[in-house]
Amino acid sequence: MERGRHDGFTWDFFVSYTSADAAWATWIAWHLEENDYKVLIQAWDSTPGTNWRYQMEQGMIHAARTIAVLSPAYMRSRFGLEEMRSAWAADPQGTLRKLIPVRVEEFRPVGVLSTVVSLDLFGLSEPEARERLRTDIRATLDGREKPSASPDFPAPIVEGRPGQAPPPGPRSTDRPLLVGQPRPMPMFPAELPKIWNVPEPTARFVDRPELDQLTEAMAGDRPLVALTGTAGIGKTSLALEYVRAYRADFDAVWWVPAGRTDQIANQVSAAAPLLGLPAETSAASVLAQLDAGHRRWLLVVDASTSRDALPDWLPTTSGDGRILVTSRDDRWDAHGQVIHAEALDRAHAVELLADRLPAIDRTAAGEIADRFGGLPQALDQAAHLMISESLQARHYLDELRADPLALLAEGEAPGRPGITAVTLSDASIRLVDANAPTAGELLRLAAHADTATPFPLWLLRDHPDALTSNTTPPSPDGPSPDAPWSAAAEGLRAATARPRVLARAVSDLQSHGLVRYQGDELHLPSVLVTVLRGRTTPDHAAHLNASIGRLLHAALPENVVGDPATWQAWHTLLPHALAVLENTSPDQDTPETAWLAEHAAAYRLERGQPAEAELLATRAAQARERLDGPDHPDTLAARHIYLRAALNNDNFAEAGPLAERNADDRERLLGPDHRDTLASRETLARVYQKTGHLDNAEALFTQNLADRKAALGDRDPDTLESRHNLGAVMAQGGRRLEATEILLPTHSAQVSVLGPEHPHTLDTAHRIAVTYRGMGATTAALGYAEPVTEAREEVLGPLHPATLDSHHSLGLTYRQAGRYHDAIRELDQAFNGRDKALGPNHVHTLESAQALGRSYLDSGQPERATPALEHTLTGREKTLGPDHPTTIQSCKRLADAFIENGSPGKATPHLHRGLLHYENFNGEAHPP
């Protein structure tokens, strides 16, 4: 190689790399400097006292070219990508070839690197790689890669005839490994250690975050690292990828399959001849010899059942040796560092499928990934089946939806003939059922809860009586003594009252790699859940579902409405409650499922999800009427929750007549002064208010306030609710001053009785702020609007409708005060939040879009107003119709934006449309 001439540059090349590729980087730099190029590389130039970040910045500026050592690890490195982008930005067209990507692993670069031709060193012997580096660097400097001799005549190559490529020469790794052998140059990264028996990967590795965690752990001070995870999670492939990436760090790497514990010693002893030891040397002596020679060695014990299964002679070395164990059992903390392999997230799972099937539809791949819970074994199996049968992903999905268990039993993953996700699960399930039936029943119980949420074990310990006993009278969902699973069900019921027995059941599941136990919760892979559900008889599944329903009924708080202290429990357990309801036919609802539906509806209503609440409340009301009759207090309570949900969901056609009926029924059955009767009257008044009958609403609110004062007292929370509602309806009718005279003392009382951050207290504070804004008292309005917005964000969450109402109202108040920057910030948050929570065409979303556009106009930014106002117009055309007055108002606002933005031509059709509407409504002769 000839030295390049780069006048004015300090270095010919700056080598950018990540620590995982340090061996490649130093090998490349070595051979460049051997050929008289000047190279800047951190491994050699970062001496004590060096400010390396400054030196790197100088390298990026004063090096003629940057060599980026590319691998998946490099693509994850923030500093590496910064260095690469700096070189690319200096020559984005590539005319000066300032960025030279050198791929050291086979993968597809993304982003700007996908368009830059790379120099590839992977898959080559050392002489081939050295020659490739020499010729390609020379071609980069020259700008052309014309060969010095004529290419071979392109005749077909026939075995044994001239023209056939010569066989590769001996690899440089065929030299003996000597203790203390000097290493005058870095080891070529493609070389393998002399002592090496690592199997070849069966499929291309797709990057995952655990590889970085494993790399860090293996570089730590604990000699044993356990890589754990459930069956099919990809532990072996992760271990293989680590060994492949860091093979240059070890003088010996020995792979031991641990399927048969009694054969581990023989597997290790097989390395003895490579060390010059007799073949009959014991395994302990082999490892001792490696330690005595100060060799850097790695022993990989693949698929160990547990630490107890490892032989006693396996040392906890303090020398240069490392032990990497893969195991389904995650209880290795006492013996080394544990890295738990998680299922692939959606992006990585789709990447795996796309790697196997480049043409796969990404949407279909995403659904396949979701249904398999990101389990690599199942994804590889799916890809193998689609490839072998030329099956399109959408057709595979159709079969997967119809019968997931049958499809999971077909195909195989690369390198694992006859092994499917189902056979892996079945083998472990059979072992548990045979040896630990209580653990098997616990596993099935957790599998029949929500598939995407861990199962809380504390449910069983805290509420053991919720499980059915064989000694109790027969029930439709209780276990029959003759059922084959009844003994296991009784065993689990008994275990819930004995913490040690329950803990032993969890331990049995852990030892077989069926669950991960963390934070007193059981985590089950979704594929295992599919297998378990498919292997459970209908009567057993019904019993398990009913048991979960009873556990939840016992654990969940009763009083949800207006009580934030209960919301965390509902947030945690709601997915399991919904799973119980999903697994129960509505016509088979029990008192427990009716209770779950009713109270889940109430919780969702409190969390600002009226549409979901209405569906649940409908089911609860129907179940209660079927179970208890139309006049039972529980039926009327469920109907009341339904009315509140329908009202908040703007379903007035249903809510109106039923609200009047429910109020009458409660008065007839409970009496006129009963708390529930008064609550139903308040709901009826709110129906009047929301449908625009403000006089009727005010009259009923006034009467109900008087009745609540008499029956409940002046400071009862329900009485304060009536005072709030009366003030709100008065403000809505334009009597704002009178409204504040009611709302202000109501708020003070709520602060005292409920607390300053109670949702009802915040509702009144919000109403005061809106009322003051309507009166033009901007400063007073901000005094309430700012703190209530912050408090609602904290108490209710950023996407709760009430929080978004506060952002919208605060934005309008800021605009009224002329603080347009603040107004735009709040209205933008309201618009985006409502778009996400309510949908792009919801009436409140469009209100925020319109207000945001107006604020941009008022602040002199018509170009930014246009998109918001166009969104408003399009949405109102869809929801209200093209001739609705509110839609025409949006036309006018958009026309104003076009005019102020210097585009009167674009404004003309909107102005004509407004004029036409005006003429049609008022007549042509009507004065403008």
Side-chain angles (χ1 to χ4, degrees):
M1 240 186 297
E2 295 179 5
R3 168 73 184 267
R5 295 185 177 88
H6 303 301
D7 295 337
F9 290 103
T10 307
W11 297 278
D12 297 298
F13 298 100
F14 164 53
V15 180
S16 171
Y17 65 99
T18 190
S19 59
D21 304 314
W24 275 108
T26 54
W27 185 88
I28 291 167
W30 177 279
H31 287 285
L32 289 173
E33 292 207 345
E34 277 290 285
N35 287 272
D36 294 330
Y37 289 97
K38 191 171 182 182
V39 178
L40 176 65
I41 180 171
Q42 181 179 7
W44 298 340
D45 298 310
S46 181
T47 54
T50 303
N51 183 332
W52 178 246
R53 289 303 304 162
Y54 173 78
Q55 194 168 16
M56 288 300 93
E57 291 171 1
Q58 294 301 301
M60 288 184 278
I61 296 170
H62 298 296
R65 288 177 172 82
T66 295
I67 290 178
V69 183
L70 295 190
S71 69
Y74 186 93
M75 303 303 293
R76 297 191 301 269
S77 168
R78 178 168 65 88
F79 293 122
L81 292 178
E82 286 178 1
E83 294 162 0
M84 176 275 296
R85 290 184 181 120
S86 176
W88 179 84
D91 181 28
Q93 304 300 322
T95 54
L96 301 177
R97 298 169 299 286
K98 292 186 71 66
L99 174 63
I100 306 173
V102 178
R103 288 197 301 166
V104 297
E105 288 187 46
E106 186 176 4
F107 75 110
R108 293 191 297 271
V110 296
V112 298
L113 288 172
S114 63
T115 63
V116 182
V117 178
S118 63
L119 190 166
D120 296 340
L121 298 181
F122 56 84
L124 304 176
S125 67
E126 181 177 17
E128 292 169 335
R130 194 165 51 240
E131 179 63 15
R132 173 75 59 84
L133 180 67
R134 186 190 71 81
T135 57
D136 280 16
I137 288 294
R138 185 69 265 165
T140 297
L141 300 180
D142 292 341
R144 197 170 189 221
E145 195 170 5
K146 178 182 176 181
S148 58
S150 170
D152 291 336
F153 178 64
I157 296 176
V158 180
E159 185 176 357
R161 295 187 180 179
Q164 184 178 9
R171 295 191 324 200
S172 58
T173 50
D174 291 337
R175 61 180 185 271
L177 178 65
L178 302 176
V179 177
Q181 178 184 8
R183 298 180 183 273
M185 70 176 188
M187 179 180 179
F188 178 58
E191 294 181 353
L192 303 178
K194 181 68 176 178
I195 302 174
W196 172 275
N197 73 334
V198 178
E200 286 295 319
T202 57
R204 189 157 43 213
F205 181 79
V206 173
D207 187 36
R208 49 195 299 185
E210 290 93 339
L211 184 59
D212 290 338
Q213 299 170 25
L214 179 59
T215 301
E216 184 177 350
M218 292 296 293
D221 56 2
R222 302 192 73 178
L224 186 145
V225 174
L227 179 60
T228 68
T230 54
I233 206 69
K235 302 180 293 295
T236 299
S237 65
L238 271 165
L240 281 169
E241 184 63 18
Y242 169 78
V243 171
R244 290 180 65 250
Y246 293 94
R247 59 193 179 274
D249 289 354
F250 299 98
D251 301 308
V253 181
W254 204 248
W255 190 279
V256 177
R260 290 185 57 187
T261 305
D262 60 337
Q263 292 298 313
I264 294 179
N266 293 337
Q267 296 275 355
V268 175
S269 293
L274 299 176
L275 286 165
L277 300 173
E280 62 273 14
T281 301
S282 69
S285 297
V286 168
L287 297 184
Q289 178 68 16
L290 287 169
D291 270 337
H294 301 291
R295 290 178 171 88
R296 303 164 302 165
W297 58 268
L298 170 64
L299 179 66
V300 183
V301 183
D302 189 33
S304 176
T305 55
S306 69
R307 177 63 180 91
D308 295 336
L310 295 184
D312 294 336
W313 51 260
L314 193 62
T316 302
T317 177
S318 58
D320 293 325
R322 289 288 184 269
I323 301 170
L324 173 59
V325 176
T326 71
S327 177
R328 296 184 188 181
D329 191 341
D330 58 6
R331 298 168 300 172
W332 288 78
D333 300 82
H335 310 289
Q337 185 167 348
V338 178
I339 303 296
H340 187 81
E342 302 282 359
L344 300 178
D345 61 28
R346 198 173 201 266
H348 285 94
V350 170
E351 183 184 347
L352 186 150
L353 288 170
D355 180 80
R356 295 355 178 206
L357 293 157
I360 194 171
D361 176 77
R362 294 303 196 272
T363 301
E367 184 173 345
I368 293 171
D370 291 342
R371 287 181 173 270
F372 288 156
L375 188 72
Q377 158 87 22
L379 295 169
D380 263 326
Q381 184 180 326
H384 179 270
L385 185 64
M386 284 185 275
I387 292 170
S388 63
E389 297 187 3
S390 300
L391 187 65
Q392 292 186 11
R394 60 188 178 90
H395 296 144
Y396 181 90
L397 263 177
D398 290 340
E399 293 197 31
L400 184 61
R401 296 185 191 109
D403 193 347
L405 186 60
L407 198 58
L408 276 169
E410 296 186 41
E412 60 186 34
R416 307 192 73 175
I419 301 296
T420 68
V422 171
T423 59
L424 280 175
S425 298
D426 274 340
S428 297
I429 293 169
R430 282 194 297 270
L431 282 172
V432 169
D433 285 342
N435 301 318
T438 296
E441 184 69 3
L442 173 60
L443 184 66
R444 285 179 172 81
L445 183 73
H448 283 75
D450 181 61
T451 59
T453 309
F455 182 78
L457 202 64
W458 56 263
L459 271 180
L460 295 169
R461 284 196 301 270
D462 292 356
H463 306 284
D465 295 338
L467 295 186
T468 304
S469 168
N470 281 345
T471 62
T472 58
S475 64
D477 53 19
S480 164
D482 298 328
W485 45 268
S486 62
E490 175 61 19
L492 178 59
R493 189 202 65 79
T496 59
R498 302 176 62 190
R500 286 184 62 193
V501 177
L502 190 61
R504 193 178 307 128
V506 174
S507 179
D508 290 331
L509 296 178
Q510 287 180 283
S511 66
H512 289 85
L514 290 167
V515 301
R516 183 183 180 194
Y517 180 54
Q518 184 179 33
D520 208 24
E521 294 178 329
L522 298 180
H523 299 248
L524 278 67
S526 61
V527 169
L528 175 63
V529 170
T530 299
V531 175
L532 284 164
R533 290 187 173 189
R535 300 284 193 245
T536 304
T537 60
D539 61 326
H540 194 182
H543 163 73
L544 294 167
N545 192 59
S547 296
I548 297 169
R550 283 190 292 272
L551 286 166
L552 294 171
H553 187 200
L556 284 164
E558 172 88 22
N559 299 316
V560 182
V561 178
D563 189 358
T566 67
W567 293 352
Q568 183 56 49
W570 273 96
H571 172 76
T572 301
L573 296 177
L574 179 65
H576 296 302
L578 297 178
V580 168
L581 294 171
E582 183 180 352
N583 294 330
T584 305
S585 174
D587 60 359
Q588 298 296 316
D589 270 327
T590 65
E592 286 83 11
T593 56
W595 186 93
L596 285 176
E598 177 187 337
H599 289 75
Y603 169 71
R604 290 203 130 171
L605 197 54
E606 292 295 292
R607 304 305 296 145
Q609 302 165 5
E612 295 86 347
E614 185 175 359
L615 291 173
L616 288 165
T618 299
R619 175 170 177 172
Q622 292 172 348
R624 287 295 189 190
E625 187 158 349
R626 178 176 58 80
L627 292 167
D628 303 320
D631 288 341
H632 193 280
D634 289 347
T635 303
L636 300 179
R639 195 185 296 159
H640 181 71
I641 295 295
Y642 166 74
L643 282 167
R644 291 183 57 234
L647 191 60
N648 280 278
N649 200 34
D650 296 337
N651 187 358
F652 306 131
E654 291 286 334
L658 190 58
E660 192 165 358
R661 173 189 163 192
N662 214 47
D664 291 342
D665 287 346
R666 275 184 156 174
E667 183 170 352
R668 173 172 56 85
L669 296 167
L670 304 175
D673 297 328
H674 192 279
R675 184 183 292 273
D676 291 347
T677 302
L678 298 172
S680 287
R681 283 194 200 144
E682 197 77 10
T683 299
L684 177 59
R686 288 192 62 232
V687 172
Y688 289 144
Q689 180 186 11
K690 295 203 75 169
T691 54
H693 300 287
L694 300 186
D695 291 342
N696 292 339
E698 184 176 343
L700 189 50
F701 281 137
T702 302
Q703 179 61 50
N704 217 43
L705 174 58
D707 293 342
R708 277 179 158 173
K709 279 183 181 180
L712 307 175
D714 192 50
R715 292 172 65 83
D716 185 90
D718 286 0
T719 304
L720 298 177
E721 178 195 33
S722 288
R723 288 171 60 181
H724 166 92
N725 287 336
L726 178 59
V729 78
M730 292 172 69
Q732 189 177 349
R735 294 155 55 198
R736 297 187 179 92
L737 182 59
E738 293 177 65
T740 59
E741 293 171 352
I742 294 176
L743 292 170
L744 288 170
T746 300
H747 180 254
S748 297
Q750 286 174 324
V751 169
S752 174
V753 174
L754 302 174
E757 294 191 344
H758 190 279
H760 294 175
T761 307
L762 298 176
D763 288 345
T764 303
H766 172 73
R767 179 53 54 189
I768 293 171
V770 172
T771 303
Y772 274 140
R773 174 166 52 83
M775 297 168 63
T778 307
T779 301
L782 288 174
Y784 281 89
E786 289 175 331
V788 82
T789 302
E790 182 178 350
R792 276 179 160 177
E793 183 114 15
E794 178 68 25
V795 174
L796 303 177
L799 292 180
H800 193 285
T803 305
L804 298 172
D805 288 347
S806 285
H807 282 293
H808 178 87
S809 180
L810 180 58
L812 296 180
T813 308
Y814 280 141
R815 190 178 75 194
Q816 189 178 75
R819 294 168 56 179
Y820 296 118
H821 176 77
D822 293 330
I824 288 169
R825 181 193 67 239
E826 296 298 324
L827 290 169
D828 184 67
Q829 188 163 347
F831 168 59
N832 286 303
R834 285 172 161 178
D835 180 72
K836 185 181 296 184
L838 307 175
N841 295 322
H842 191 278
V843 59
H844 292 160
T845 307
L846 298 176
E847 285 177 355
S848 291
Q850 178 91 346
L852 179 61
R854 284 194 61 187
S855 297
Y856 277 129
L857 275 178
D858 292 346
S859 65
Q861 302 178 73
E863 72 285 353
R864 302 190 69 180
T866 303
L869 295 173
E870 286 179 325
H871 177 93
T872 307
L873 177 58
T874 302
R876 286 177 169 171
E877 286 174 336
K878 290 179 180 178
T879 56
L880 303 176
D883 298 323
H884 193 280
T886 306
T887 306
I888 299 304
Q889 182 190 51
S890 294
C891 275
K892 183 179 183 305
R893 292 294 180 195
L894 182 57
D896 291 342
F898 281 134
I899 290 171
E900 291 192 31
N901 200 30
S903 303
K906 293 182 179 180
T908 301
H910 298 292
L911 293 172
H912 284 167
R913 181 174 166 184
L915 179 60
L916 181 62
H917 176 269
Y918 187 84
E919 290 175 346
N920 289 339
F921 187 78
N922 297 300
E924 294 186 14
H926 194 281

